[in-house]
Amino acid sequence: MLIMILIFLIALLGLGLSQTHLLSVLLCLEMMMVSLYLGLGMVSISGLHYPLMIALVLLTFSACEASSGLALLVLISRSHGSDLLKSFNLS
Amino acid sequence: MLELCGVLSLASLLVMVLFLFSNNKHDFSQAVKYAGYMNSFLLLLILMNDESEMLFLKWEWVKLGGYSLTLSFRFDLYTCCFFVVGLYVTWNILMFSFYYMSTDPRIDLFCKYLGLFLVAMLLLVSAESLFQLLIGWEGVGIMSYLLISWWYARSDANTAALQAIFYNRVGDIGLIIMLVWSLVNTYDWTFTSLYANNVVNTFFLLGVVLAAAGKSAQLGLHPWLPAAMEGPTPVSSLLHSSTMVVAGVFLLIRFSPVMLTNPSVQLVVFFLGTMTTLFSAICALAQNDMKKVVAFSTASQLGLMVTAVGAGVPQLAFLHICMHAFFKAMLFMCSGGYIHGLQNEQDVRKMGGFFNAAPITSVCLFIGSAALMGTPFLAGFFSKDPIIEAINLGNTNSWAIGLVLVATSFTAAYSFRLLYLSLGSSSRMLVLQPMNEDYKNLVGPLQRLCYGSIVAGVVFISFLVPLQISTLSLPSSLKLAAVLVTAIGSLVAWDMVKLLHQGEDTGDVAYLSFEAQVGFYSLIVHKLMPKAWFSLGETYQMQVMDRGWTELALPQGIGENYKLLADNVNQTQTGLIKMYIAIMLLVVFVVSGLMVSF
C-alpha cells in the first residue's frame, strides 16, 4: 500500500513539474487515478477485508474525467495552435 | 602747574573733538592747528619741568568686580612728542585735502572721518589703560576701512578696505591675547603695573608682536598696505605713512622695557623687522605706480623701526617715527599734486620732466627723498644713522646686518628711480596737461612739512636723548656704513635707470617677476590657498558625499536590493499556466507537511 502512495506522489510531481506538453499533465493525472484505484484494491490483500465497491466508482469517474480532459485538450489546441505549456498565458 | 597744563591739553583736545560736530571744515582745521599749538606748549612745559617725567590722568568709567575700567591718560615724552608731530602733520594734511578733495561733494564728511581717526589715534598713544589702547586701536582700524573705501563704487577700493580689515583683525588676535593674559595673571590693565611686575611671559609678548605685525604691515601680514593706496592721497598720507601704521611700532615701544628682558621675543622682533625691510625694499624697486613705491617705502621704514626695537634702541625707533612722519607725508602730498596735475595719472612711466613744470612740488619731492635716504643732517639722518650704528655694534649676526644695509641701499635706489622718472628724464606725459601748483592749500602744507623735514632732526635730537649712550669711538667703516651704502645704491640706480630709459627698445616687461608680483605672496595667500581649500570642500561635499555615498547608501542601495527581490518574485507572476500548476503542487506539499506535523 505504501508503494501506491509513492506512485501517487511521483505522479503528482510529474503533474506539477511538467515541462512541455499538456498531454503529459493529463497522463500524470491518469497515473494518479490508477494508483489510487490500485491502492483501494490492495486493501483486501491482507485477507481481512473484501474489495471495496468505491474502487469501481473511482474508476468510472476517472474515465469521465479523462475524456473531459481530452475534450479540453482538443479545445485548447484548437485555440492556441498546439499543446505546448509555454504558450498558455492568462494575459 | 603741571596738572593745569595737562588739563589744558586735554581740554584743547576736547574742544577739537567738539569741532568735529560742526559742519564747517575750516573751523575744524583751525581747531586742529590750535590744539597742536597748545599741546606743543604742554610738551615744552613738561620738558622744562625737572621734577616729574610724566603725567597721569585717570577717570573711572565702569566698575567691575574688583577691577574697574578706566580712561587714563599718560603724558610722557613719547606721548607728547607724538601729539605735536601728529597734530602738525594732520593740520597740514587737512589743508592739503581742502585742495585735493575740493571737487568732492562729501568733503565735509571726509574731514570728519579724518578728525575721528585723529581722535582714535591720540587715544591710542596717550593710553595708560590697556583697554583704552584697544579702543584706539580698533578705532583707527575702522576709520582706515572707511577712508580706504572712500570711493566705494570702485570694487578695487572695497577689496583693499576689506583686506585692511582682515589683516588688522589677525593682528588684533594678538592684542586680545595680551589683554586677556595680563588681566588673568596680573589683574590689572595699566602700563605702570606692567612695568612694575616686569612680566616676561613669552606667549604674552608674542601676542604683542602679532598685533604690531598686523597693524604695521610686517612680513606675512603686509599685503594690505600697498592695497590701501586705493584711498585718496590725504588718507594715504595720514594713515598709511605717518600715523596709523606706526601704531604697531608704538605698541612695541611701549612694551619694550619688558620685551628687552626676554631674548627670544627680542630676536623674533629683530628678524621680523629685517625681513620686512628687505622684502619691501625689493618690491619697491619694481613698482610702476608712484603711490605704491611710496607705500613700499613706508613698509620698509616700518621694518626698520621694528628692527630698532628689536636691536634694543626703542627711543631711536620713536625718533624715526617722528622724522618719518614729516617726510613721508610730504612725499605722499607731492604724489597727490602730480596726480591731480596729470588728471589722475599715477604711472611713473607716463611722467617725466616735472622739474620745470611743477618746481615747488618737485623740490619738495627731492628733499623728501633725500631725507628718506638718510642724507646727512636732514631729518632722516638723525634717526636712521644711529639705528644702523646700533645694529652694527649690537650682538647680532651678520645676516641681519647685511639685510639692513642692503635694504638701505635699495631705499636709495628706488628713491633715485622715482626721482629720475618723475623729475628728470624726458617728459612722457600727454602734452596738454593742466599741471598747476598755484594752490595755496597745496604749496602751504608742502612748505611747512619741508621745513619740518629739514630742521626736525636737529630740534628733536636736542630733547629726545636716547637712554643708551651711543659709542663715540667707532671705526670709520662702521660709522660711515649707512652713508656709503646709500651712495652706492643711488649711483648704481642712476646708471641702471639711465640705461633702461634711454634705449629705444624696452623689450618685454617683467611683470611676472618675483619683485613685481610682491614675492607671489598675494597670489599664493589670496588666490591659490583659498582656492585649494574651497575645491577640497566642494569635492568632498558635493561629489563624494552628495553625489556619492548619500546617493549610494539610501536611494540607490535600497533600490538595488528591492530590484533583486522583485526580480525573483516577478517570475511567479508571468501569467503562464505552467507556474500556476507548480504552485498548486507546492500548496499541496505545504498543507500535507503541516498536517503531518500536527
Side-chain angles (χ1 to χ4, degrees), chain B residues 180-385:
Chain B
V180 168
W181 194 96
S182 63
L183 192 63
V184 166
N185 289 76
T186 59
Y187 306 110
D188 204 2
W189 260 351
T190 59
F191 277 112
T192 34
S193 76
L194 210 69
Y195 295 154
N197 293 336
N198 206 25
V199 282
V200 286
N201 185 291
T202 309
F203 185 57
F204 159 83
L205 289 172
L206 282 177
V208 174
V209 172
L210 180 63
K215 191 64 94 178
S216 291
Q218 299 301 302
L219 194 66
L221 294 174
H222 65 277
W224 69 272
L225 191 54
M229 297 299 118
E230 290 288 331
T233 307
V235 170
S236 308
S237 167
L238 182 59
L239 269 76
H240 305 116
S241 61
S242 320
T243 327
M244 186 185 107
V245 290
V246 298
V249 185
F250 198 82
L251 188 75
L252 282 177
I253 293 173
R254 278 273 197 247
F255 278 89
S256 59
V258 299
M259 206 179 283
L260 294 176
T261 56
N262 188 339
S264 46
V265 173
Q266 188 181 350
L267 200 70
V268 166
V269 168
F270 187 69
F271 275 109
L272 192 64
T274 49
M275 305 278 266
T276 307
T277 306
L278 185 63
F279 180 76
S280 305
I282 291 175
C283 295
L285 290 172
Q287 298 299 318
N288 289 320
D289 182 355
M290 190 167 189
K291 281 178 72 174
K292 284 225 164 55
V293 174
V294 189
F296 278 111
S297 166
T298 306
S300 184
Q301 296 303 307
L302 288 171
L304 190 66
M305 292 173 207
V306 170
T307 310
V309 173
V313 280
Q315 309 84 16
L316 288 176
F318 181 74
L319 185 64
H320 197 53
I321 288 178
C322 297
M323 306 290 107
H324 177 256
F326 284 107
F327 52 77
K328 198 46 71 72
M330 186 166 73
L331 282 176
F332 268 113
M333 283 201 224
C334 296
S335 318
Y338 286 157
I339 289 167
H340 253 25
L342 288 174
Q343 299 287 45
N344 304 328
E345 178 58 62
Q346 287 181 312
D347 200 334
V348 290
R349 297 172 290 190
K350 296 188 194 169
M351 299 183 185
F354 288 158
F355 203 66
N356 298 315
I360 299 180
T361 316
S362 307
V363 163
C364 290
L365 186 72
F366 184 79
I367 292 179
S369 296
L372 172 64
M373 285 194 261
T375 312
F377 312 117
L378 290 183
F381 173 74
F382 288 100
S383 54
K384 264 183 94 162
D385 220 48

Side-chain angles (χ1 to χ4, degrees), chain B residues 78-125:
Chain B
Y78 291 153
T79 314
C80 297
C81 283
F82 193 86
F83 267 39
V84 172
V85 171
L87 285 166
Y88 185 70
V89 170
T90 308
W91 168 43
N92 283 314
I93 287 170
L94 271 173
M95 306 298 280
F96 173 74
S97 69
F98 294 161
Y99 151 74
Y100 195 78
M101 315 285 289
S102 56
T103 57
D104 195 316
R106 298 186 301 151
I107 183 173
D108 287 321
L109 186 65
F110 187 77
C111 294
K112 275 193 201 177
Y113 279 175
L114 285 182
L116 206 56
F117 165 79
L118 181 69
V119 168
M121 188 71 204
L122 295 179
L123 269 179
L124 201 162
V125 302

